[in-house]
Amino acid sequence: MRKKLGVLTSGGDTPGMNAAIRSVVLAADDNGFVAMGIKKGYAGLISGDVSRIKPEDVRDIANMGGTILKTARCREFMTDAGRQKALNVIKAYNIEGMVVIGGDGSFAGAEVLDRHGIPTVAVPATIDNDLPYTDFTIGFDAAVNLVISEMAKIRDTMNSHERIGVIEVMGNQCGDIALYAGIAGPAENIVIPEKEKDLDEICDRLVSERIKGKTASLVLVAEGAGSGIETAQYIHDMTGLEAKAIVLGYTQRGGSPSAADRMRASSFGIHAVQLLARGNGGRAVGIRNNNLFDEEIKAALATEPRAQTQLLEEYRILSRNG
Ligand code: F6P
């Protein structure tokens, strides 16, 4: 009988989760495993929402946003009783290894499964890029691309009306979406958790830019560092300039994955399955300096947040004199 390997997606969805599922299913088949799809993350593991997922089921999904397995944030899995139910389901289905695709909460769950004797590999997927052990998580690139394409549209109308566009982007613990979009967009100002917040300095810059004839400026605010609505209000109150808040919200989490996301998702999925085929659980896969690697989930979770010194310096230079 072929061994069974389970796969689930958990936490906030990201573009590229489907590409990762496809990769896991095809790599499982390649390694002689039967892939079992678990619906709605850990919630489906608890309720027993488990069914076989065949290579033909993942034929056309690499370009699709969302996750065909659905996802959830599951409080019950935080409890001993919930975990026990999940372990019972895993045993009932004879699942001998798990691939968990998600962010830090999902990784913590993966570590629990592994510790309880189910070899489990974690694959990083979160648009926030807030798993600093890996340079990139699945979905981050698509989110940045979405943000910079929206920025261009917002800049057009801000320019016509001579307004300041204050754009709130996702990123709770980590300002990478705002930082990357601030460089690539570009945006004249960013407010991110990694940078000391000085709204008065931003106000001064906006006023001096206006005096020099610049009719529109963009301010990107990472949600973890402040609210777009409040920031726009503050700018208006302090400068008298018309400032409009735009919250991009869930638009950043949907849509087709970028090529980079699909490539990463594909490599991560294969690598995860190959680790399990070799009997290596408790690992997190990632990419560092363009090299695929894996390390203990615990070590991955304990990695300190990036200071982003180099990118912040690049941003400083590029945003001078807007
Ligand atoms: O997935 C990460 C994230 O997108 C955060 O940036 C955001 O704050 C959060 O998820 C929103 O989560 P939910 O789907 O629970 O509203």
Side-chain angles (χ1 to χ4, degrees):
M1 236 209 345
R2 288 164 76 191
K3 285 187 172 183
K4 287 182 186 160
L5 183 147
V7 54
L8 62 80
T9 50
S10 157
D13 64 347
T14 76
M17 276 184 160
N18 280 326
I21 294 167
R22 168 177 176 263
S23 167
V24 169
V25 171
L26 296 178
D29 194 57
D30 186 55
N31 281 274
F33 291 115
V34 169
M36 303 298 287
I38 293 127
K39 290 271 173 73
K40 298 187 202 161
Y42 294 103
L45 210 46
I46 290 172
S47 65
D49 200 346
V50 180
S51 52
R52 182 161 179 199
I53 173 166
K54 295 185 185 154
E56 52 266 39
D57 299 328
V58 296
R59 205 173 271 148
D60 298 318
I61 68 168
N63 62 331
M64 281 168 50
T67 159
I68 59 162
L69 289 176
K70 312 275 186 198
T71 184
R73 301 187 194 277
C74 179
R75 291 198 160 275
E76 197 182 349
F77 192 72
M78 310 270 197
T79 66
D80 286 344
R83 287 172 180 177
Q84 196 48 57
K85 281 190 207 166
L87 291 166
N88 292 345
V89 168
I90 291 175
K91 290 196 181 116
Y93 278 93
N94 290 318
I95 291 172
E96 295 184 52
M98 284 289 303
V99 178
V100 168
I101 303 166
D104 55 356
S106 315
F107 272 44
E111 198 278 321
V112 169
L113 292 180
D114 192 77
R115 195 161 11 101
H116 284 83
I118 313 297
T120 301
V121 175
V123 169
T126 157
I127 64 158
D128 291 3
N129 211 34
D130 60 352
L131 282 165
Y133 80 94
T134 178
D135 289 346
F136 297 107
T137 56
I138 300 166
F140 169 67
D141 188 63
V144 173
N145 278 300
L146 178 289
V147 171
I148 63 175
S149 87
E150 297 301 289
M151 284 166 70
K153 298 178 205 161
I154 293 165
R155 186 180 290 282
D156 286 345
T157 175
M158 294 300 136
N159 241 323
S160 307
H161 290 265
E162 305 199 340
R163 289 170 171 163
I164 309 298
V166 181
I167 307 171
E168 181 185 307
V169 298
M170 281 190 172
N172 250 327
Q173 318 289 334
C174 172
D176 279 12
I177 293 180
L179 178 57
Y180 278 66
I183 291 172
E188 287 78 359
N189 293 282
I190 55 172
V191 181
I192 59 173
E194 293 80 359
K195 188 171 177 276
E196 202 185 326
K197 184 169 167 179
D198 191 344
L199 290 186
D200 293 327
E201 190 206 327
I202 290 178
C203 289
D204 290 346
R205 288 180 58 156
L206 291 170
V207 170
S208 74
E209 283 168 3
R210 185 58 66 94
I211 291 166
K212 282 190 246 160
K214 193 165 178 26
T215 49
S217 291
L218 300 181
V219 181
L220 288 182
V221 182
E223 63 180 340
S227 133
I229 294 169
E230 285 167 17
T231 306
Q233 187 64 52
Y234 188 86
I235 290 171
H236 173 71
D237 292 347
M238 299 307 284
T239 65
L241 296 169
E242 201 180 352
K244 294 287 180 188
I246 304 102
V247 180
L248 292 182
Y250 294 106
T251 58
Q252 296 158 92
R253 286 224 310 238
S256 192
S258 67
D261 282 324
R262 296 184 208 187
M263 293 298 286
R264 285 169 196 147
S266 303
S267 303
F268 290 169
I270 293 172
H271 193 59
V273 172
Q274 289 177 342
L275 280 169
L276 289 169
R278 290 197 297 268
N280 295 331
R283 312 292 291 175
V285 301
I287 190 158
R288 203 179 284 149
N289 300 326
N290 240 350
N291 289 315
L292 201 58
F293 74 103
D294 58 88
E295 66 178 23
E296 275 195 3
I297 298 174
K298 271 190 178 172
L301 282 173
T303 309
E304 289 293 319
R306 285 180 282 261
Q308 292 297 27
T309 319
Q310 190 191 327
L311 284 181
L312 279 167
E313 175 58 4
E314 290 176 12
Y315 180 76
R316 185 190 66 75
I317 294 166
L318 294 168
S319 62
R320 287 180 76 229
N321 201 22

